Amino acid sequence: MTDRGLDADGFIAREGSLSRVPARFAPVVDAARGRIAASFDGSRLHSAYLYGSIPRGTATPGVSDLDLLLALHEEPTPADREAADALEAALDAEFGQVDGVGVLLFGTGTLLSELERHDLGWFLACLCTPLLGPDLADGLPRYRPTSLLARETNGDLALALPGWRTRLHTAAPDADLRPLNRAVSRRLVRTAFTLVMPRWGGWTSDLAASAEVFAAYYPERADQARLAAEATRTPTPDRATLTTLIDDFGPWLAAEYLTVHGEKAPRP
């Protein structure tokens, strides 16, 4: 793999592996595997995947969360969501190594669909590590850091802005704004990176590195990208930071993205 996250043929390399899971997190991953199998039988579950800092080997005990994606034979039902919620709560309560557990649920039809080929399909093939069952990536193409990939992964930032703005400006004076800050900052840094990804010619999930890659192309917005990257590591309840990100950096980034890559294909 090259230093820009590509394999020898110039395709984005799958970034995680079970062999990279830090020793402190191995019991969490083992428990997740067992509980997923117990919660979703073979008639429901096709396969399960890890993603995020744990399979990348960069997780920090007590800080990092456990991220899981479950591919179901059919589209998720409310009962599936209830089972996933129970799984999240049980793992989060049992293991102090993780600060939160998140489980994404999708049907295999969605994950392999043409509409999701350059969004969820790419996400599974390049950012997810197989944990249980056959690997759906075998039925997906290889991916390069193209404008099409940029458009379909983050070309819908404008849709998120009104909701963030409402949450910020209607929050009570004593509200804990750190979860919102973390979510907003992560999305903005990833969008800023993919804005310039085709020009840079590679892939990284490192948010600090992502901000620096963006800064090289848009130095006039570098401080805001770095502010967002710092907030992903140490979320702050500061309203001024969120106001800057949501009311200034976010709208500019959404407009520039639309100009450079176009709008993401609408979802049903």
Side-chain angles (χ1 to χ4, degrees):
M1 186 171 71
T2 71
D3 60 357
R4 295 203 174 191
L6 305 180
D7 64 20
D9 297 317
F11 295 100
I12 297 174
R14 204 170 206 171
E15 63 177 16
S17 168
L18 293 180
S19 66
R20 297 180 193 167
V21 173
R24 286 286 304 277
F25 291 91
V28 189
V29 172
D30 289 342
R33 183 187 290 107
R35 292 189 183 189
I36 291 168
S39 300
F40 297 87
D41 64 27
S43 68
R44 295 300 300 152
L45 181 71
H46 175 277
S47 48
Y49 306 82
L50 292 171
Y51 67 95
S53 61
I54 292 178
R56 291 200 304 269
T58 60
T60 301
V63 175
S64 298
D65 48 8
L66 173 67
D67 296 309
L68 299 161
L69 182 150
L70 306 188
L72 305 181
H73 288 292
E74 306 293 339
E75 293 304 311
T77 66
D80 293 324
R81 187 65 256 172
E82 289 179 9
D85 290 345
L87 177 67
E88 291 173 346
L91 290 170
D92 192 27
E94 183 172 346
F95 295 99
Q97 299 97 310
V98 294
D99 181 19
V101 177
V103 178
L104 299 178
L105 294 176
F106 295 101
T108 56
T110 295
L111 292 167
L112 297 177
S113 68
E114 187 62 31
L115 181 63
E116 294 294 343
R117 184 60 48 88
H118 288 85
D119 189 8
L120 289 176
W122 164 80
F123 174 74
L124 187 146
C126 295
L127 305 189
C128 290
T129 297
L131 182 64
L132 274 172
D135 186 4
L136 281 173
D138 292 340
L140 291 164
R142 299 165 78 190
Y143 296 87
R144 297 185 188 274
T146 62
S147 182
L148 171 61
L149 184 62
R151 186 188 77 209
E152 291 304 306
T153 52
N154 288 300
D156 58 350
L157 176 62
L159 299 180
L161 293 173
W164 291 346
R165 194 172 291 115
T166 297
R167 289 176 62 186
L168 172 63
H169 296 299
T170 62
D174 59 347
D176 184 358
L177 295 175
R178 284 173 294 185
L180 177 61
N181 194 315
R182 188 179 190 187
V184 167
S185 298
R186 281 182 171 182
R187 178 71 182 275
L188 291 180
V189 174
R190 288 177 179 138
T191 303
F193 169 71
T194 52
L195 172 64
V196 302
M197 172 187 67
R199 282 185 277 175
W200 186 63
W203 174 263
T204 180
S205 285
D206 183 306
L207 296 178
S210 295
E212 293 308 313
V213 171
F214 167 83
Y217 295 90
Y218 290 92
E220 71 279 11
R221 292 281 176 170
D223 288 346
Q224 291 180 324
R226 291 171 179 141
L227 177 66
E230 177 60 29
T232 67
R233 295 188 293 272
T234 54
T236 171
D238 180 43
R239 287 176 182 266
T241 296
L242 268 172
T243 298
T244 295
L245 296 179
I246 294 174
D247 290 344
D248 186 8
F249 189 40
W252 172 84
L253 185 56
E256 183 70 3
Y257 215 97
L258 184 63
T259 299
V260 174
H261 298 302
E263 187 177 3
K264 182 175 182 174
R267 268 47 179 176

